[in-house]
Each structure stands twice: as C-alpha cells, then as structure tokens.
C-alpha cells in the first residue's frame, strides 16, 4: 500500500529519515558506463559537494551517506523548528544560497544585496522560505535537480534523470537510526566493491575512520556520534564514534565471512543498550531493504503508526 509522503514525513517536528534515489537511464549516474566506456566518477564529487553546501543552508544534518554508481542513500536529521530561530537576514541569505546563479558572480554583488534587502521586506515570502528551509522535500529537490541538469547537459540529452522525486523512510528511534546508518555505510561492502570500510569511497564511514585515524585523543574516540555535517545543533547519538566504527567494521566482516568474525568485547553491551538482538543483527542489516519499507523502529512504534494510518499492519513488523 502506497502511503502519501505527508503521512511519512512530519514537517512540524524534528526527526530522522532515510532517503534514497536511483538513476532512471541505462547510463550510470556515476562510475564507468559499460557500453560507452566513459567514466562518470566526477559526478560523485558533484553530488557530495552539493550535499555539503545544502546542509549549511537547510535545517538538515547528514549522519550517513553513500554515493553508488547508479543510486545514493542518505540518513539525515530534519529540524523544521530551527529556521524559526533564524533572523530575517539569515533566511534571505540562505534562500539565495539555495538557488545560486548569476547573482553570485562578483560583478553582481550590489544587485544581489539589493535582492536580499527586498526579500527581507516581504514578510509573506520570509514565512514561506522559513518553512521551505525546514522541509525535506525542498532539500531533496535542491539536491537532485542541479545534478540532473548538469548530467543531462554533459550527456547531451533531455528527459528524466531520476526514477522519481525520492524515496523516504521514517526512523522512529535511535536503534532504527543505528541500523539504517550501518546498512547505508556498508553498501559498498555488500555490493562487493571493497572489503574494507576505509576503502569505501564517497561514504560517511570512510570519513569517520579517517577522523579517528588522524586524532587518537580519548575525548574524540569516546564522544557521542555526531552528524557528518549540519547546522541544527542536534545532540549527539549515545553511541561513541569508536563503538560505531567497530560495529560497522565487524558487521561488514561478518557479511563477507559468515560466522568467522569475532565480535569486539565492548559490542555485546552496546546491543543490550539498544535492545537489539546480536544473533539477528547481521541478518537484519543484510536484508534491511527487504524487511522494512516506510517505517523502521521498535515493534510498538510500528504498530502505533499502523493504527494512526488505519491499516492492519505495516511491512517491518515481523522483522522488528
């Protein structure tokens, strides 16, 4: 059963979401086209750069991401309340950054400042833009559209680039966030592109591993897991950076070599903390896309969502 996005995404309350989109054409979004032999890896850099730029504009934090050859995944935190705290000048400036163009050229600096002042005098537009800067749909639109246009221009073609707007999944508790982040970060491992998380290019786990490698201080290693990038000021997840990296590494090795990877000594207590079953963890991550659809979380929370939507059950109840 299809569920309208307005019932999946509550744009009045902060929350975590898993978003993904896939290229519609035969030619890959990124990577090497097996028919033409042309390599499109540079598009991954386009996407990553644009994603980081927009996180400094919208009320969005990115906690996990992976950019594959023909699709991408994001685990993000949306806070529609934060834009209400921004000044009129901040809202106007952020909106202009969301739509870069000729106004950003040095020669148009004076004209850009004039446009900004006009926006600041329009209360109706300011209220509208505040809402949009805390909207998941507007964030995803500004992420997908520029890449589609640039790719179409490079390919000398027109038409749809993405299968649809995007797919979204609500993560109802921190255990669901942890599971989804692990699933996303292990995409290259499950796809057999690499066996090492530090070699998983264009992923959040690679960035976290590099951060740990470059800073061995106990404070950094034991601090709570924070967003890769964002500006909402969200509190950190209760799992430490070191614990998360160990969890993802052990899970990846367990997928590659079933029943052979020894679990780090501190992880069993982590499973207990999150009320997760260690025995079924690897299976849950391996079959995440099959097990869950619109909502991920504790069984009681999924059942509550089913009740709110007036349906008998939702996919994910058995797995939960």
């Amino acid at each position: 059963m299809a569920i309208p996005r307005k019932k999946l995404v509550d744009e009045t309350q902060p929350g975590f979401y898993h978003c993904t989109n896939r290229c519609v054409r035969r030619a890959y979004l990124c990577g090497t086209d097996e028919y033409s032999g042309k390599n499109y890896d540079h598009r991954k850099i386009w996407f990553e750069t644009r994603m980081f730029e927009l996180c400094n504009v919208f009320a969005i934090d990115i906690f996990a991401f992976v950019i594959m050859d023909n699709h991408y995944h994001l685990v993000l935190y949306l806070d529609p309340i934060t834009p209400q705290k921004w000044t009129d000048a901040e809202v106007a400036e952020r909106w202009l950054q969301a739509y870069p163009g000729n106004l950003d050229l040095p020669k148009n600096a004076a004209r850009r400042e004039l446009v900004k002042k006009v926006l600041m005098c329009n209360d109706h537009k300011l209220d509208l833009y505040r809402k949009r800067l805390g909207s998941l749909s507007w964030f995803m639109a500004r992420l997908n559209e520029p890449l589609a246009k640039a790719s179409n221009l490079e390919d000398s073609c027109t038409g749809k680039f993405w299968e649809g707007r995007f797919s979204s999944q609500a993560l109802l508790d921190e255990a669901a966030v942890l599971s989804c982040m692990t699933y996303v970060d292990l995409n290259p491992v499950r796809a057999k592109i690499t066996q090492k998380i530090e070699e998983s290019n264009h992923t959040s786990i690679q960035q976290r591993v590099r951060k740990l490698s470059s800073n061995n201080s106990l404070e950094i290693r034991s601090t709570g897991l924070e967003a890769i990038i964002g500006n909402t000021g969200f509190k950190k997840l209760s799992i430490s950076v070191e614990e998360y990296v160990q969890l993802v590494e052990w899970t990846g090795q367990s997928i590659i070599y079933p029943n052979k990877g020894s679990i780090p000594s501190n992880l069993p207590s982590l499973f207990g903390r999150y009320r997760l079953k260690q025995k079924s963890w690897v299976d849950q991550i391996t079959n995440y896309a099959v097990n869950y659809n619109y909502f991920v979380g504790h069984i009681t929370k999924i059942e509550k969502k089913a009740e709110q939507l007036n349906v008998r059950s939702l996919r994910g109840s058995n797995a939960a």
Side-chain angles (χ1 to χ4, degrees):
M1 181 192 75
I3 299 178
R5 198 179 314 276
K6 65 181 179 180
K7 294 185 178 181
L8 289 176
V9 180
D10 185 351
E11 294 198 338
T12 63
Q13 295 296 325
F16 280 91
Y17 297 93
H18 170 215
C19 300
T20 184
N21 213 344
R22 186 175 296 272
C23 183
V24 75
R25 294 201 300 264
R26 171 191 58 76
Y28 276 5
L29 160 66
C30 311
T32 302
D33 188 323
E34 60 186 32
Y35 290 90
S36 67
K38 188 173 180 179
N39 185 276
Y40 293 102
D41 274 345
H42 57 278
R43 291 181 182 173
K44 294 183 180 180
I45 299 174
W46 290 356
F47 188 93
E48 199 169 331
T49 301
R50 180 62 176 162
M51 176 180 67
F52 285 173
E53 288 174 349
L54 288 176
C55 282
N56 289 319
V57 175
F58 286 79
I60 296 281
D61 292 342
I62 299 292
F63 274 80
F65 72 89
V66 60
I67 308 170
M68 303 294 283
D69 285 350
N70 63 348
H71 69 286
Y72 66 84
H73 294 269
L74 304 177
V75 177
L76 54 83
Y77 176 75
L78 169 72
D79 185 1
I81 299 174
T82 292
Q84 304 304 318
K85 304 173 186 177
W86 293 337
T87 65
D88 292 350
E90 284 180 301
V91 171
E93 177 61 32
R94 287 171 184 270
W95 189 251
L96 290 175
Q97 290 177 15
Y99 285 86
N102 291 334
L103 287 178
D104 291 316
L105 296 175
K107 65 179 182 179
N108 294 329
R111 183 183 170 197
R112 186 184 190 280
E113 191 62 26
L114 180 61
V115 171
K116 180 179 175 180
K117 289 180 179 179
V118 171
L119 285 178
M120 291 169 59
C121 294
N122 192 321
D123 292 338
H124 173 71
K125 283 193 175 181
L126 283 175
D127 289 342
L128 181 64
Y129 295 160
R130 281 184 199 279
K131 185 177 180 180
R132 289 178 178 178
L133 289 170
S135 166
L136 180 61
S137 293
W138 278 89
F139 170 80
M140 296 299 292
R142 296 311 303 142
L143 181 62
N144 286 331
E145 183 184 353
L147 181 60
K149 287 182 175 179
S151 298
N152 278 350
L153 182 63
E154 185 178 46
D155 294 339
S156 300
C157 67
T158 58
K160 290 181 65 176
F161 184 78
W162 303 105
E163 282 185 339
R165 289 174 59 205
F166 65 96
S167 298
S168 59
Q169 184 180 67
L171 307 176
L172 304 179
D173 52 42
E174 193 166 315
V177 175
L178 180 62
S179 301
C180 188
M181 286 178 61
T182 305
Y183 164 74
V184 168
D185 276 329
L186 285 175
N187 257 248
V189 173
R190 290 185 297 102
K192 299 181 180 180
I193 296 173
T194 181
Q195 294 188 357
K196 299 179 179 179
I197 56 176
E198 62 269 22
E199 295 177 358
S200 299
N201 297 325
H202 303 289
T203 64
S204 50
I205 190 61
Q206 185 185 58
Q207 293 195 11
R208 295 191 190 278
V209 170
R210 287 176 176 174
K211 183 177 180 179
L212 277 183
S213 300
S214 62
N215 195 322
N216 290 317
S217 73
L218 180 61
E219 183 180 356
I220 294 296
R221 303 181 76 88
S222 60
T223 189
L225 199 67
E226 59 185 2
I228 291 292
I229 190 168
N231 62 81
T232 70
F234 172 77
K235 62 181 179 63
K236 301 172 183 178
L237 298 178
S238 57
I239 183 174
S240 72
V241 178
E242 188 170 36
E243 283 178 324
Y244 179 70
V245 170
Q246 287 180 341
L247 176 65
V248 175
E249 186 171 31
W250 170 75
T251 306
Q253 291 304 304
S254 298
I255 291 173
I256 299 170
Y257 307 108
N259 304 316
K260 290 186 178 180
S262 59
I263 186 169
S265 59
N266 60 320
L267 289 188
S269 63
L270 173 68
F271 287 113
R273 222 160 65 217
Y274 280 98
R275 295 192 297 171
L276 296 168
K277 293 184 179 180
Q278 180 182 327
K279 291 183 179 179
S280 61
W281 170 258
V282 175
D283 179 68
Q284 285 272 36
I285 300 305
T286 304
N287 298 298
Y288 181 94
V290 177
N291 288 342
Y292 300 100
N293 193 1
Y294 295 117
F295 300 98
V296 185
H298 191 270
I299 180 62
T300 56
K301 294 189 176 183
I302 294 181
E303 288 176 344
K304 185 177 180 180
K305 283 293 181 181
E307 184 179 344
Q308 291 172 351
L309 294 170
N310 197 28
V311 296
R312 291 181 60 185
S313 63
L314 290 166
R315 195 169 98 193
S317 298
N318 290 336

